[in-house]
Amino acid sequence: MRGPGVPPKALDARALAALAANPGCRRRAILDGAGVDKAALAGALGSPPAFGQSQFAFMRGNAFEARVKADGGAELLRLVHERLDPGAEPPAGAEVPDLSAAGPQGRVARTALALREAAAAGGWTLLDHPMLALDVAGSPAFLEPDAVVVHPDGGWTVVEIKSFPMLDGSADPAKVGAAARQAAVYVLALEEVAARLAGDGAPPRVHHRVLLVCPKDFSNLPTASAVDIRRQRAVTARQLSRLTRVEEIAGTLPEGTCFSPELPAEELAAAVDAVPASYAPECLSTCDLAFHCRARARESGAVAALGRPLRAELGGLSSVEEVLAAAHGEAGDPDDPAVAALRRAAVLRAEALDAARAACLPVPPAGPEVPACR
């Protein structure tokens, strides 16, 4: 499906969080499951994405992460101890195991071994960029959190390092929410590792309070906050479990369907449109293909293009034409609450317009006569 010689684009936690937020979108599910580069695909369709991280922001984030993890992660471990586990012994001389291995599967196995050894050692351990695996709709996703800390009691904590500032102890709620959803994916993957390592005994504890590390105020000094992600974890787990398996979606597509950006634009658009999408305005900030899907939704007059809340209020009316027909009394069941509300709104609108027209009187102008409202 990617095309001959096209390498797969790996799923990351950000993509999984976006996929879990819109589990009904089969288009995104099959493209992510097949490892298709949606940004390149959108560019080939003539609707390139308009979001992304600038090179400057990327370099600034890397520099801040390096500072947080300097000296064997001493500052990072101090923040974990201070914010999440003050009753434990101070993290002096923590272990930082080497997690390098061949390929993502090798790194996943090496990470699991390091977690097992750290839990048995009974001290502080910092895993820098471990590799985790999570099955998503029948397709493996390899995830790489910024860090995972193993506590002396054997518990595991996910650490998210972000470059947006924390002003007076609080950060932008939207950015914190996005980081929490991303961390929830890591926690789910860690829980699978813990279940496999448990054997007949109790599995290691995966903490549902993660550490969010950000620059303090307008400096480059790190500060941190504990974020409870139990709600995000539950929502993400439920949404990921609802995803249709990739092979089921692929079985409904025409034989030979391919999403290679090298294909002619018409053929590529036909392949993409063969997979149903579930567009909503929220997709614009999370999906590279959102502009193409928005254009298609507007062409078809889909109510979903106006937002999920409105779509939910209109019930079975899925197109703008159906909504207007119901409002004008040309179609729709009068006993349907949505239809009744639309017709009442149309009556109120007509009354308001009639009152506005009645208040409009001609005003003698100096030049050509122009109607004006009094």
Side-chain angles (χ1 to χ4, degrees):
M1 288 188 174
R2 289 191 304 273
V6 179
K9 182 176 176 60
L11 272 173
D12 57 14
R14 192 187 305 272
L16 285 184
L19 186 60
N22 191 6
C25 186
R26 293 192 164 205
R27 183 174 296 171
R28 173 150 197 167
I30 189 67
L31 293 175
D32 284 345
V36 175
D37 187 342
K38 294 193 298 299
L41 180 62
L45 290 169
S47 304
F51 64 89
Q53 193 176 41
S54 69
Q55 188 65 23
F56 173 75
F58 183 74
M59 294 174 61
R60 182 181 61 186
N62 284 345
F64 178 68
E65 182 175 341
R67 176 165 188 167
V68 172
K69 293 179 179 178
D71 300 324
E75 180 64 15
L76 176 56
L77 290 166
R78 183 190 69 79
L79 291 170
V80 173
H81 177 262
E82 178 183 302
R83 298 287 195 272
L84 296 175
D85 200 0
E89 60 182 37
E95 295 291 331
V96 184
D98 180 13
L99 301 178
S100 59
Q105 291 88 351
R107 291 186 59 195
V108 168
R110 181 67 189 90
T111 296
L113 178 61
L115 286 168
R116 181 197 296 272
E117 293 173 347
W124 289 96
T125 301
L126 171 63
L127 275 65
D128 186 7
H129 283 288
M131 182 67 76
L132 306 171
L134 186 66
D135 182 81
V136 180
S139 179
F142 296 102
L143 313 172
E144 189 175 0
D146 293 327
V148 172
V149 173
V150 181
H151 297 245
D153 63 359
W156 303 346
T157 291
V158 171
V159 177
E160 275 289 280
I161 303 174
K162 298 297 183 182
S163 59
F164 56 80
M166 195 173 289
L167 306 175
D168 295 328
S170 61
D172 184 345
K175 294 181 178 179
V176 173
R181 290 189 293 273
Q182 189 173 339
V185 177
Y186 297 138
V187 167
L188 288 172
L190 274 178
E191 288 177 347
E192 290 195 1
V193 177
R196 290 195 300 269
L197 297 182
D200 296 330
R205 180 187 176 193
V206 181
H207 295 280
H208 290 166
R209 294 176 72 213
V210 303
L211 190 74
L212 177 62
V213 182
C214 299
K216 183 178 181 181
D217 298 326
F218 297 102
S219 70
N220 202 33
L221 299 175
T223 187
S225 175
V227 180
D228 192 325
I229 55 109
R230 283 178 293 182
R231 183 177 65 83
Q232 290 86 352
R233 180 216 163 275
V235 170
T236 303
R238 183 174 66 253
Q239 299 291 60
L240 290 179
S241 68
R242 292 172 53 196
L243 292 175
T244 306
R245 294 185 66 85
V246 171
E247 58 266 26
E248 294 180 21
I249 302 174
T252 64
L253 299 180
E255 187 69 24
T257 298
C258 183
F259 304 107
S260 172
E262 304 299 326
L263 293 174
E266 297 78 9
E267 185 178 345
L268 188 59
V272 171
D273 294 341
V275 190
S278 179
Y279 171 77
E282 294 83 356
C283 298
L284 292 173
S285 61
T286 58
C287 183
D288 296 306
L289 209 59
F291 286 96
H292 174 80
C293 297
R294 181 179 67 176
R296 288 293 190 263
R298 287 176 173 177
E299 289 173 7
S300 64
V303 173
L306 304 176
R308 290 194 181 102
L310 180 60
R311 175 69 185 88
E313 290 288 341
L314 293 173
L317 305 174
S318 59
S319 70
V320 174
E321 290 77 9
E322 291 177 346
V323 171
L324 293 177
H328 296 152
E330 300 169 359
D333 182 2
D335 295 330
D336 186 338
V339 173
L342 286 169
R343 292 181 180 176
R344 176 59 179 160
V347 170
L348 293 175
R349 178 179 181 274
E351 292 175 354
L353 290 176
D354 290 341
R357 293 190 189 100
C360 284
L361 298 176
V363 176
E369 184 174 343
V370 178
C373 289
R374 182 176 61 186

